[in-house]
Amino acid sequence: MSERRETPVRVALLGCGTVGSEVVRRLLDDSDELAARIGAPVELAGIAVRRPDKHPELPQHLVTSDAGKLVESDVDVVIELIGGIEPVRGWLLTALRKGKSVVTGNKALLAEHGAELAAAASETGVDLYYEAAVAGAIPLLRPLRESLAGDRITRVMGIVNGTTNFILSAMDSTGAGYAETLDEATRLGYAEADPSADVDGYDAASKAAILASLAFHTRVTASDVYREGITNISASDIGAAKRLNRTVKLLAICERVTAEDGTESVSARVHPVMIPRSHQLAGVSGAFNAVYVEAEAAGELMFYGQGAGGAPTASAVLGDFVAAARNRVAGGRGPRESAHAVLPVRPMGQTPTRYHISLDVADKPGVLAQIAQVFAVHGVSIAAVRQRDKHSTASLVVVTHLAPDAALEATVSEISKLDVVRNVVSVMRVEGEDS
Amino acid sequence: MSERRETPVRVALLGCGTVGSEVVRRLLDDSDELAARIGAPVELAGIAVRRPDKHPELPQHLVTSDAGKLVESDVDVVIELIGGIEPVRGWLLTALRKGKSVVTGNKALLAEHGAELAAAASETGVDLYYEAAVAGAIPLLRPLRESLAGDRITRVMGIVNGTTNFILSAMDSTGAGYAETLDEATRLGYAEADPSADVDGYDAASKAAILASLAFHTRVTASDVYREGITNISASDIGAAKRLNRTVKLLAICERVTAEDGTESVSARVHPVMIPRSHQLAGVSGAFNAVYVEAEAAGELMFYGQGAGGAPTASAVLGDFVAAARNRVAGGRGPRESAHAVLPVRPMGQTPTRYHISLDVADKPGVLAQIAQVFAVHGVSIAAVRQRDKHSTASLVVVTHLAPDAALEATVSEISKLDVVRNVVSVMRVEGEDS
């Protein structure tokens, strides 16, 4: 880059926790390198934190508790790493409306108010980047928004929450139950004291909303995303999966669904899924994230890397910052997302899924016929059945073909009430294999 | 995207083979969708092919044999899919100097004349995009250039040539020799009639040059890349790897090497490598590509997908086209690559590598001591030794620690001349494991 200007790009940082302090460190330590890449020097204009006295490690003349004032000051780019909806939403809208570019990792805010923020950025022609909001360090949003802009994405499916992946990986390898494994994860720092955002799937649902919006050029919010967490996954679910050479993962799944009449809709959902151990996502363990993308022309793609942590997330934040800063220097702005497609969101009940059902049934003739009849009544086609005797009961495993989720749910509900069914061992959705 | 202009973005296509015809199909069939994403209609202004009479399937009023004239006509973006250095270089320089953005998949041209093309693009402030040049459909160059722009990449390593990967995968699963497997690959259409560009590593070396340039902000050309192909890989090499639960891949490796005095240099090389079967790249088989990236903050990342083929490559080309066209409409330009770091390229002899050496040696006392002495003389530290009797000879396997490649080569050369060494079964570099 030959051009180089003297006027610095001024940046304000809101929030200085694990990721923020890593961002500060790199902004200060790598300032020459960043300046070379941007084409102008970088000046850290201020750091807003709630309790300035708690941050003796920061350059004190930069620290302020007044985020609102910092946002309105003479800065070019605002990096927001506080999280949560209010008061952050107001600050970022102010920044955008005053012509400052915004870099944020705030998935909850984007999943809820992404449209409003994008509109504000559009009005003043500035950048709104948020690579850090999904899958940490993995470059995923920019590829979806830009690299695949000439293709038609049909599916985005992935592991986007490290806490639940850590817990499920541990349950799989130790055979322990959910509660016990959660305790261990909390002790090791993989789960927060209040783990609900992770284990109930809220975090993954926000990310699914962001991914679906970008992939399908349609505004999808967190409330559009069907959500089931991992709190009901039992050791027997994991055991049932293991016996079939499968494993259980919490997946965010965003699909373009085409109805028989050709109309399209979007399905966005987060729930536990049984996948074959040979599946690429099965090998992703611990705190790693991986996202699988299918597009009409590109075919199958996979992106893999660290989904959280100070340094990895800071990498995504700084990548966005350099892009936004370069655009300030060059006088342009990056390609924005588009929501021109406006596809309807398909309710979960109408979304085609496949179930794996594991039952203990009475060991006598006619049981399978009786159960198969329930599937038939609900229009659910059976892909495979496996029966095994154990004392006076038999174990029965059924895997279905694709059917509307509501039909599958109704089938399971009716089957569980049959006299011949002693126990419903495990019911789980299946992805990633034929039949 | 709310803005929408009426004036179309005019695009010229140079070359219409497998990828080009897929690009034409999508430009024409998906014109509404592309217009929505770009914010302006797209007009295909002309298609230059060598023999227009060979393309009855194309809209005839668009076809021309005069690429030079088409490039100088009133178009906004030139997509080049002809390949080769001349006369393409001249056409693209003309296009860039006349203020037209260029999208190309021409790795040979970029690896040789990338600096000249980038300078021309910089002069007129237009875009030069080439995502399709490396790893086909996989979004890789944009993440390297943009997403990781705030990080420090230390290593890029991957499978970037589908033909050699197909051959090595097949040799691994069948146990057949190289010549036989190449014949099969040619018959199946995975190798060209003249396979040299692939099997001698030229194609991968061009890609390594492009990757190293982007990753290390330094201009690296194809001639800077150390290159060894797969033509000398024997069934016994593959067998030696198998016995150690490893497999052989042709890898492009780009590393930032820091010397003891802190000076940095870049190593870019293409050669066969033995990797553990548990390594992420080991599972990449057939015509797929995968690239592994390490950065200081982001940690380990992996990108996986189809590395070649008409539709996948067209996806990358169209992604670049949409980005370039959006920039035309918005009046800006995308972030360009930067070569500000100007790191020296480290010669292969001085590059730290590790060797795996498999020998048949005389089965008598003192042999290991004699061989170990040769390693010691060359300053090469041994990581592991395994010896096994077989009749009157013993099989000896040595894995080294990191040492300058020249020292390793000299060690092997001297060892092979020892009386006690009956046969050098296999010598190969190793990556991806400790010790």
Side-chain angles (χ1 to χ4, degrees), chain A residues 3-320:
Chain A
E3 326 87 293
R4 180 76 177 259
R5 72 170 207 198
E6 293 305 317
T7 327
V9 173
R10 289 169 53 86
V11 54
L13 178 64
L14 312 185
C16 200
T18 321
V19 179
S21 50
E22 187 67 26
V23 168
V24 169
R25 196 181 69 72
R26 295 192 84 97
L27 282 176
L28 299 178
D29 291 1
D30 299 347
S31 58
D32 288 352
E33 183 68 27
L34 290 171
R37 295 183 191 178
I38 290 166
V42 174
E43 185 186 331
L44 181 52
I47 307 170
V49 294
R50 195 181 306 186
R51 296 278 307 271
D53 56 309
K54 297 269 188 192
H55 293 274
E57 80 289 0
L58 295 176
Q60 288 302 304
H61 67 288
L62 296 179
V63 178
T64 171
S65 61
D66 193 343
K69 194 171 154 199
L70 179 59
V71 158
E72 299 211 30
S73 71
D74 177 29
V75 297
D76 301 289
V77 181
V78 173
I79 299 177
E80 183 268 312
L81 297 167
I82 296 173
I85 308 287
E86 298 293 356
V88 171
R89 172 175 156 271
W91 292 332
L92 297 193
L93 284 172
T94 301
L96 293 166
R97 286 177 185 145
K98 291 197 173 279
K100 296 146 198 328
S101 294
V102 166
V103 173
T104 173
N106 193 328
K107 58 215 125 206
L109 178 63
L110 289 159
E112 209 60 61
H113 300 283
E116 189 182 22
L117 292 166
S122 196
E123 267 166 40
T124 50
V126 295
D127 291 318
L128 169 65
Y129 287 144
Y130 45 90
E131 185 67 75
V134 184
I138 309 174
L140 176 62
L141 304 190
R142 184 167 274 109
L144 283 183
R145 182 166 49 192
E146 300 179 37
S147 308
L148 292 165
D151 205 334
R152 230 173 95 88
I153 297 172
T154 49
R155 193 160 210 250
V156 180
M157 178 168 92
I159 296 167
V160 295
N161 181 276
T163 302
T164 49
N165 198 50
F166 176 87
I167 294 172
L168 292 172
S169 298
M171 287 175 73
D172 183 85
S173 58
T174 64
Y178 168 74
E180 187 186 335
T181 312
L182 171 62
D183 286 349
E184 177 72 2
T186 311
R187 204 180 58 78
L188 293 171
Y190 286 107
E192 312 225 5
D194 175 0
S196 170
D198 294 314
V199 300
D200 291 327
Y202 290 102
D203 173 80
S206 290
K207 291 165 177 172
I210 294 169
L211 290 172
S213 297
L214 286 177
F216 306 125
H217 305 274
T218 284
R219 188 58 64 183
V220 177
T221 66
S223 55
D224 293 326
V225 179
Y226 174 81
R227 180 184 51 74
E228 260 178 52
I230 63 162
T231 54
N232 292 323
I233 302 287
S234 63
S236 70
D237 285 320
I238 303 281
K242 264 193 169 165
R243 279 191 295 281
L244 297 160
N245 206 24
R246 288 168 201 178
T247 188
V248 177
K249 296 287 184 189
L250 183 73
L251 299 185
I253 304 176
C254 310
E255 278 177 326
R256 189 190 287 272
V257 181
T258 308
E260 279 175 21
D261 65 0
T263 57
E264 292 195 326
S265 57
V266 166
S267 163
R269 51 194 206 267
V270 168
H271 54 70
V273 177
M274 221 182 245
I275 55 174
R277 281 188 188 269
S278 59
H279 193 283
Q280 283 186 315
L281 294 177
V284 177
S285 62
F288 275 83
N289 280 193
V291 178
Y292 178 89
V293 177
E294 268 177 48
E296 267 184 14
E300 300 174 6
L301 302 167
M302 197 173 84
F303 301 81
Y304 171 89
Q306 292 187 70
T313 310
S315 171
V317 169
L318 283 164
D320 279 353

Side-chain angles (χ1 to χ4, degrees), chain A residues 1-3 26 33-34 36-37 122 131 137-139 142-143 145-152 217 256 280 288 296-306 311-312 315-316 318-320 322 326-327 332-333 335-340, chain B residues 1-3 26 33-34 36-37 122 131 137-139 142-143 145-152 217 256 280 288 296-306 311-312 315-316 318-320 322 326-327 332-333 335-340:
Chain A
M1 202 177 280
S2 46
E3 326 87 293
R26 295 192 84 97
E33 183 68 27
L34 290 171
R37 295 183 191 178
S122 196
E131 185 67 75
I138 309 174
R142 184 167 274 109
R145 182 166 49 192
E146 300 179 37
S147 308
L148 292 165
D151 205 334
R152 230 173 95 88
H217 305 274
R256 189 190 287 272
Q280 283 186 315
F288 275 83
E296 267 184 14
E300 300 174 6
L301 302 167
M302 197 173 84
F303 301 81
Y304 171 89
Q306 292 187 70
S315 171
L318 283 164
D320 279 353
V322 169
R326 278 204 281 218
N327 288 338
R333 55 161 292 184
R336 71 202 70 179
E337 65 210 75
S338 71
H340 65 268
Chain B
M1 203 176 284
S2 47
E3 326 87 292
R26 295 192 84 97
E33 183 69 26
L34 290 171
R37 295 183 190 178
S122 198
E131 185 67 75
I138 308 174
R142 184 168 275 108
R145 183 165 47 194
E146 301 179 36
S147 307
L148 292 165
D151 205 335
R152 229 173 97 88
H217 305 276
R256 189 191 288 270
Q280 283 185 316
F288 274 83
E296 266 183 16
E300 302 174 3
L301 302 167
M302 196 173 86
F303 302 81
Y304 172 91
Q306 293 187 69
S315 170
L318 283 164
D320 278 352
V322 168
R326 278 204 281 216
N327 288 338
R333 53 161 294 183
R336 70 201 71 177
E337 64 209 73
S338 71
H340 65 268

Side-chain angles (χ1 to χ4, degrees), chain B residues 189-425:
Chain B
Y190 285 106
E192 312 227 4
D194 175 0
S196 171
D198 294 314
V199 300
D200 292 326
Y202 290 102
D203 174 80
S206 290
K207 291 166 177 171
I210 294 170
L211 290 172
S213 297
L214 286 177
F216 306 124
H217 305 276
T218 283
R219 188 59 64 185
V220 177
T221 66
S223 55
D224 294 325
V225 179
Y226 173 81
R227 179 183 52 75
E228 260 178 51
I230 63 163
T231 54
N232 291 323
I233 303 287
S234 63
S236 71
D237 286 320
I238 304 281
K242 263 193 170 166
R243 279 191 295 280
L244 296 161
N245 207 24
R246 290 170 199 176
T247 187
V248 178
K249 295 287 184 188
L250 183 73
L251 299 186
I253 303 176
C254 310
E255 276 177 328
R256 189 191 288 270
V257 182
T258 308
E260 279 174 21
D261 65 357
T263 58
E264 292 196 324
S265 57
V266 166
S267 163
R269 52 195 205 264
V270 168
H271 54 71
V273 177
M274 221 180 245
I275 55 174
R277 280 188 190 269
S278 59
H279 194 284
Q280 283 185 316
L281 294 177
V284 177
S285 62
F288 274 83
N289 280 194
V291 178
Y292 178 88
V293 177
E294 267 176 49
E296 266 183 16
E300 302 174 3
L301 302 167
M302 196 173 86
F303 302 81
Y304 172 91
Q306 293 187 69
T313 310
S315 170
V317 168
L318 283 164
D320 278 352
F321 167 67
V322 168
R326 278 204 281 216
N327 288 338
R328 305 296 287 202
V329 173
R333 53 161 294 183
R336 70 201 71 177
E337 64 209 73
S338 71
H340 65 268
V342 203
L343 298 177
V345 175
R346 202 172 182 88
M348 187 62 187
Q350 293 169 30
T351 297
T353 63
R354 292 191 302 124
Y355 271 33
H356 166 279
I357 303 155
S358 182
L359 307 166
D360 284 343
V361 297
D363 190 7
K364 61 181 184 187
V367 170
L368 181 56
Q370 206 178 332
I371 288 171
Q373 176 61 17
V374 180
F375 281 89
V377 165
H378 290 279
V380 174
S381 169
I382 293 176
V385 173
R386 211 158 74 166
Q387 207 166 179
R388 207 177 49 185
D389 286 343
K390 41 176 194 180
H391 313 299
S392 65
T393 63
S395 132
L396 185 73
V397 172
V398 180
V399 182
T400 75
H401 281 302
L402 279 175
D405 199 78
L408 289 160
E409 208 183 312
T411 307
V412 169
S413 162
E414 196 173 326
I415 283 174
S416 68
K417 287 177 200 137
L418 293 178
D419 282 346
V420 297
V421 172
R422 302 275 159 82
N423 181 27
V424 178
V425 179

